[in-house]
Amino acid sequence: MTERVIDPAALVLLQGLEPDAEQLREDEAALVRAARAGNRGAFGDLYERYARVVHGIMLAHAPAQVADDLVQDVFERALSNIGGLRDVNTFAGWLIAITRNRVRDHFRRNMASEELPEVAVPANAQPRAEAAAALEAIRRLPEAYRETLMLRLVEGMTGPEIAARVGITPDSVRVNLHRGMKMLREALNP
Amino acid sequence: MNDYLFNKVGEGEPEVVRLENLLGGYRQQRPFVFPPAAMKPWFARTWFRAAMAGAAAAIVLALIFASAAQGPSEWIARRDSGDPHLNSIPVTRPEVFRPGSIVTTDGSSELELKAAGHGRIRVLPGSEVRFTENSGRHQRLELRHGTIEASLYAPPFMFSFDTPSGTAYDIGCAFRLRIEEDGRGRVDVLSGWVQFEAGEAQELAPAGAQIEIEPGYGPGTAVFRTSGAGFRKAVHDVDFGGPGERLEALRRVLANARANDVYTLLRLMRGATAEERGMLFDRASQLKPPPAWVTRDGIMRREEAMMDAWTTSLGLGDAKRWWVHWKDRF
């Protein structure tokens, strides 16, 4: 059984530390190797690390009421295909590619859903209408800003976490967040 | 410099904090549900299991067809305890049990029927059983009243047991069937699956579940023996209560349901109105979410493929894989 390792990205929240990119890669590669060999615990750890990323990307494109199902579907696909992942260091990019393909599949099958109506607002998002409006406003932003803001404002990830998970530089994340937030403010307070 | 938007350190700008609070309700929370049979070691992977199951099935089928080719096989009635009777004659030594024959046990006797090389059926005290058909490929008995315990190794539906309130079909391979004089009764499935039919009414129960039988109603909904008393009572009221009580009873079913009860909730959907079906879907999906592609709309439209997929995802075993269940009885 694979020893559970502390997610270095979580240390950012716990201790205010910047994640060690090299350590992160090594830990993750070990998890991917174990998951590839059939270790469910390792795959569960990968899910814990990446579920918010996949969910955030889903929310940037698909209605909230189907996002959870699509996340489950993405990880089921990953689970059944992880044996074919040759380079364990490419897991994040590979998973995000599956996510984007799943979003495209969803819209191919549900052409009528392109308007992304929000009918299932969580009870704890108050006030509901405001939350739905904010979500819609983020979705109208350019893709790079929209996904980064979903990961930051909805999923609660920090900029360094987003950078480590999505595979872009922290500076790019910072820029996307600030530019996206500026556009969002303008959209919400015209 | 404070860069809360980037690193969540320091005091956040009010608009950012407001949006965080507003949108936090959409955050990802659902745990991953491993699909059945995923991530198994090589010896448990599908191809290996399929090959082994195929080989086992081929051997078993060859034996069964060889046996069937010889025509009806002989059944034997053997006294276990007390003073059982075969056609009103005390059973003192093993006797051949032929179609048309009747065995009876009083309150303190038991008898065993050896079922033509396919297992055995214990006839418990206070029972009357008639042998109605032995055609090699179909074995039929009638439990007029009392209790039998069947432990069978046979293809699905080869053995059936008529009762005054309907018919139980063995789908492999161990169960207890009790019928009172007034037609009330119960099926307790010990391993494999059992189907009970009465007219149009039909119920299918996996190992660990039981089916209540009421004359005039037929089988109730399968409920696990480990389910809570409140849940079981509520399901009974839904199945056999008056029409005016049904909605209230269904609400009690939902309130008392636990994860172990999702199979029962799925079975209840079959005879439910659209409103009830929606309520059942919502509760069942809270307790055990269905596979990703199974949708509320699909379930509301009664799409069998989705119902089947959800039921399969519960991991109760496949009713058709009787060659796997038969060994449970040992």
Side-chain angles (χ1 to χ4, degrees), chain B residues 196-210:
Chain B
F196 195 93
E197 292 183 6
E200 295 294 307
Q202 188 183 85
E203 183 55 332
L204 181 66
Q210 55 188 205

Side-chain angles (χ1 to χ4, degrees), chain B residues 178-228:
Chain B
R178 175 167 183 79
I179 288 288
E180 308 289 348
E181 299 273 2
D182 64 3
R184 292 173 200 275
R186 194 168 77 194
V187 184
D188 278 281
V189 186
L190 307 175
S191 81
W193 294 73
V194 170
Q195 181 164 302
F196 195 93
E197 292 183 6
E200 295 294 307
Q202 188 183 85
E203 183 55 332
L204 181 66
Q210 55 188 205
I211 304 170
E212 298 287 339
I213 301 157
E214 286 279 334
Y217 287 89
T221 307
V223 180
F224 283 97
R225 286 188 290 279
T226 52
S227 295

